[in-house]
Amino acid sequence: MSDRGGGTDTRRRLGVRLLRPLKAPGLPRVPGFLALLVLRWPRLMPPTMRWKVAAKGLGLVVATQLARQSAEGGGRGASDVGRSLEEIGFRQGSALREQLGLGRTPLECAQAVALANRLYAIAAVVRAQSENEARVVTPGCPWSRESWWGQRPCGAFSRYEAGLTRGLNPRVSLHYESKRTRGDTQCVGVYRWRTADAGSAPAATLGVSPHQDVDQPSHH
């Protein structure tokens, strides 16, 4: 009788473990049995979930690299990672400008950054504030609620957005009105003409009226 009781307890504990959500850095929270299933048969994992795992994993890689290099280099490593991301953004922005003609206005720069955000499962909304200013509003990135996230990795990704904007149009500036890593409830990036160019900025804003939502957030 005791053996049967012990076997029942073992099966119960196994069942609880398989139903309990998996908690692993950079991986989605899914029931244990589902994790085991896709590990054995990877093709069963939906493409959307693969994309989310890759996007979240990128944040973990950057955060880990920043922490390691900062410890080894006294902060210089963090600057190197941010510089690399900014360079990638600049090269991509330059390619979009040269090949597609994008970046003619602050609004177009904001739209390009919003699209980049959505590639990482960030629900971004573009708002045209005026002919000379646009904003990208997000509830935060997929990593902002993780224990390993913080101001340094957030700042590194912000440098990517700054580089993308500069590549699209060096006359457009970007600053952040609010950030979750500062304790705010959302992240707001403000795109406007640099002061020297504000008076001669092109008026075209694709027919969008002030404060109109240009894009709707993604629902991933």
Side-chain angles (χ1 to χ4, degrees):
M1 293 292 292
S2 59
D3 289 341
R4 287 197 296 270
T8 300
D9 290 341
T10 299
R11 288 192 295 273
R12 185 182 297 114
R13 287 195 296 269
L14 178 61
V16 171
R17 187 170 60 189
L18 291 177
L19 291 174
R20 185 179 298 139
L22 174 69
K23 296 180 182 179
L27 297 179
R29 290 174 61 87
V30 297
F33 77 89
L34 183 57
L36 288 174
L37 190 65
V38 296
L39 283 170
R40 184 161 186 175
W41 293 288
R43 292 187 179 182
L44 293 179
M45 179 180 285
T48 299
M49 184 175 291
R50 298 180 195 176
W51 158 60
K52 287 188 175 183
V53 169
K56 197 166 187 178
L58 175 62
L60 178 60
V61 168
V62 170
T64 302
Q65 189 74 357
L66 281 168
R68 183 180 65 81
Q69 292 191 358
S70 295
E72 295 177 353
R76 180 173 180 177
S79 177
D80 290 343
V81 173
R83 188 180 300 112
S84 296
L85 288 172
E86 184 172 356
E87 180 182 351
I88 291 171
F90 176 76
R91 291 166 63 183
Q92 291 178 343
S94 298
L96 292 173
R97 171 174 49 82
E98 294 168 3
Q99 299 176 41
L100 300 178
L102 292 178
R104 293 168 297 178
T105 65
L107 175 60
E108 287 192 0
C109 292
Q111 289 173 321
V113 172
L115 175 59
N117 282 331
R118 291 176 184 178
L119 294 177
Y120 298 108
I122 302 173
V125 176
V126 179
R127 292 176 180 163
Q129 299 297 112
S130 69
E131 292 183 346
N132 299 322
E133 181 180 312
R135 298 185 176 198
V136 174
V137 182
T138 77
C141 64
W143 320 298
S144 60
R145 296 169 182 81
E146 299 291 343
S147 60
W148 40 264
W149 195 247
Q151 291 188 358
R152 281 187 171 177
C154 176
F157 274 97
S158 295
R159 289 187 65 171
Y160 166 79
E161 295 182 348
L164 181 61
T165 302
R166 184 164 54 90
L168 285 163
N169 192 330
R171 296 170 60 199
V172 174
S173 67
L174 163 62
H175 79 273
Y176 295 91
E177 185 176 88
S178 61
K179 278 191 173 188
R180 287 183 59 89
T181 51
R182 298 175 188 165
D184 300 310
T185 58
Q186 61 184 4
C187 300
V188 180
V190 181
Y191 301 77
R192 60 166 64 105
W193 295 108
R194 296 187 184 277
T195 304
D197 298 311
S200 59
T205 54
L206 305 184
V208 179
S209 60
H211 304 287
Q212 176 180 346
D213 285 359
V214 181
D215 297 301
Q216 295 301 316
S218 60
H219 298 285
H220 298 296

